[in-house]
Amino acid sequence: MGLITTLTLALLYLLLPKPELYPPSTTFSRQVYDRHGQLLNLTLTADGKYRVRLALDDFSPDLIAATLQHEDRHFYTHPGVNPVSLLRGFWGMVSRTPRGGGSTITMQFARLRYDLETRSISGKLVQVFRALQLERHYSKPQLLEAYLNLAPYGGNVEGAGAASLLWCGKPVHEISLREAVALSVIPQSPSRRTPKTKEDNEKLAAAQYRLFQRVQTARGLRADPLDGTFTLRPDRTVPRDAPHLSRRLLEETRNDLVQSTLDADKQRTVEAALADYLGRKRELGIRNTCAILVHAPHGRCWLMWAPVASSMRPFKVRWTAWWPGGLRVLRSSPSSMAWLSTRD
């Protein structure tokens, strides 16, 4: 009888239908970078999130290691659920005493993937079933990649790729070990551990230091007590540089990542200078400015500035001609300007 039951369960497992890895409605943010790889613009998704899709190889090895250390140390050896952790979690749920989380990374991804309510026993059972179903059809690297792309990182930021850009100010493959550890603890409690712009987040600092100690111990090292005060503090808002150019480049391609020829540092320098000029000349009736810097030998645009009065509303333009080197000439009454249209 036991053999028949085992064979039946095995057959049912093999016959589980293959689901799509991501929810069908999932969309990802689009990014525009300057010629040096600095982020110029990051768009919101259709559901109002900042979410950047990356391949597993694009994530920092330190981030992957810290995430596994914090969330699921046996990720590569269990079948989607960890029986010991699951029993401990179930007992804590029944006895109403905290026993630590019993969810594996696959289970957490299943909750995100299917938008499950998992605080009840029935919800937890559905989560277990979905985790087994996902493990049946997808590899461990595929599941870990999907989790890192959808996990909540505070506010409307989802996925480690977007979190690194907004909370650390750099691509996720460039973050330091301390930054990787700090990011890794956010999904467990995103509302309380969201990095703050103007002050330290003590809950985030405490959680990341506990994990940092474990990571260093696993490496045979000692954590420096001074690391206990480290916390993420974003130094800028969501990038919205060169909005007119970014809008045009995104309209011209379906790619999520666009590389422009603009130089972000030159762009910001000229923007600040022209904004100051407008402030000083406003009483003379000067309301508009525009500027463009082109590298003559290659015909590449290094900066473009074109605000429209104080409202900053998009202006209406019409195509008039092509210029050599990939520049389009646009005309906007009462003045005309040149616009970069090509990408490296």
Side-chain angles (χ1 to χ4, degrees):
M1 187 67 179
L3 179 60
I4 294 176
T5 301
T6 301
L7 291 175
T8 301
L9 291 175
L11 179 61
L12 290 174
Y13 178 74
L14 292 174
L15 293 177
L16 286 173
K18 183 177 181 178
E20 293 185 38
L21 185 56
Y22 292 93
S25 60
T26 303
T27 57
F28 292 90
S29 299
R30 306 180 71 194
Q31 312 134 69
V32 179
Y33 290 88
D34 83 338
R35 62 197 303 265
H36 300 297
Q38 288 192 50
L39 183 65
L40 292 175
N41 211 288
L42 184 68
T43 69
L44 284 166
T45 61
D47 57 344
K49 307 290 186 181
Y50 291 108
R51 185 190 301 123
V52 175
R53 184 170 186 173
L54 297 174
L56 187 60
D57 290 342
D58 294 329
F59 292 100
S60 160
D62 286 334
L63 175 72
I64 293 175
T67 299
L68 293 177
Q69 177 72 28
H70 187 60
E71 299 285 0
D72 191 353
R73 285 176 291 173
H74 305 289
F75 174 71
Y76 284 104
T77 59
H78 62 62
V81 297
N82 185 326
V84 175
S85 298
L86 198 58
L87 287 174
R88 184 175 64 244
F90 268 124
W91 177 248
M93 184 182 299
V94 172
S95 63
R96 296 184 178 180
T97 56
R99 299 282 179 174
S103 295
T104 63
I105 281 181
T106 309
M107 290 176 63
Q108 293 180 54
F109 175 66
R111 176 176 56 81
L112 297 169
R113 164 66 179 82
Y114 293 100
D115 193 23
L116 301 176
E117 173 52 60
T118 59
R119 296 187 179 182
S120 64
I121 294 179
S122 60
K124 186 63 71 174
L125 290 174
V126 173
Q127 184 183 22
V128 169
F129 169 76
R130 290 299 190 184
L132 293 173
Q133 183 183 21
L134 288 166
E135 288 267 354
R136 163 70 181 86
H137 293 286
Y138 294 99
S139 67
K140 290 291 187 178
Q142 287 176 310
L143 293 170
L144 180 57
E145 175 186 305
Y147 170 77
L148 290 173
N149 280 326
L150 290 188
Y153 283 87
N156 63 339
V157 179
E158 292 186 355
S164 178
L165 289 173
L166 297 179
W167 300 150
C168 303
K170 64 185 74 169
V172 70
H173 65 271
E174 295 181 2
I175 59 176
S176 66
L177 174 60
R178 293 197 304 179
E179 290 170 329
V181 169
L183 286 177
S184 298
V185 301
I186 297 177
Q188 192 177 74
S189 184
S191 60
R192 290 185 297 176
R193 296 176 183 173
T194 301
K196 300 178 180 180
T197 303
K198 297 182 179 180
E199 59 182 311
D200 291 338
N201 186 327
E202 295 180 358
K203 295 184 183 298
L204 173 59
Q208 72 86 24
Y209 185 56
R210 290 194 297 270
L211 177 58
F212 191 71
Q213 289 177 305
R214 288 164 51 193
V215 169
Q216 292 294 75
T217 299
R219 297 184 177 194
L221 302 173
R222 254 178 79 180
D224 189 331
L226 293 177
D227 289 321
T229 61
F230 175 80
T231 185
L232 298 177
R233 184 183 291 180
D235 61 357
R236 62 176 298 192
T237 57
V238 179
R240 288 288 185 268
D241 297 322
H244 301 93
L245 173 65
S246 296
R247 185 182 300 113
R248 171 54 58 185
L249 292 179
L250 292 174
E251 287 174 352
E252 292 180 345
T253 180
R254 294 184 179 181
N255 296 335
D256 285 341
L257 190 153
V258 179
Q259 186 86 37
S260 74
T261 59
L262 251 64
D263 186 307
D265 293 333
K266 291 182 174 64
Q267 176 81 16
R268 296 183 187 116
T269 298
V270 172
E271 284 182 7
L274 291 179
D276 177 69
Y277 177 81
L278 280 178
R280 290 184 285 106
K281 300 297 182 178
R282 190 169 300 277
E283 61 182 19
L284 301 178
I286 298 177
R287 297 289 184 269
N288 279 328
T289 61
C290 68
I292 186 167
L293 175 63
V294 178
H295 185 246
H298 299 97
R300 291 175 178 172
C301 180
W302 281 2
L303 70 86
M304 189 197 75
W305 170 247
V308 182
S310 58
S311 64
M312 291 299 291
R313 292 176 295 179
F315 50 79
K316 295 182 179 180
V317 297
R318 60 185 178 86
W319 307 111
T320 59
W322 279 93
W323 272 17
L327 288 174
R328 286 178 179 172
V329 177
L330 302 174
R331 188 169 301 279
S332 175
S333 180
S335 63
S336 62
M337 60 170 291
W339 192 310
L340 173 71
S341 66
T342 59
R343 295 173 295 279
D344 281 347

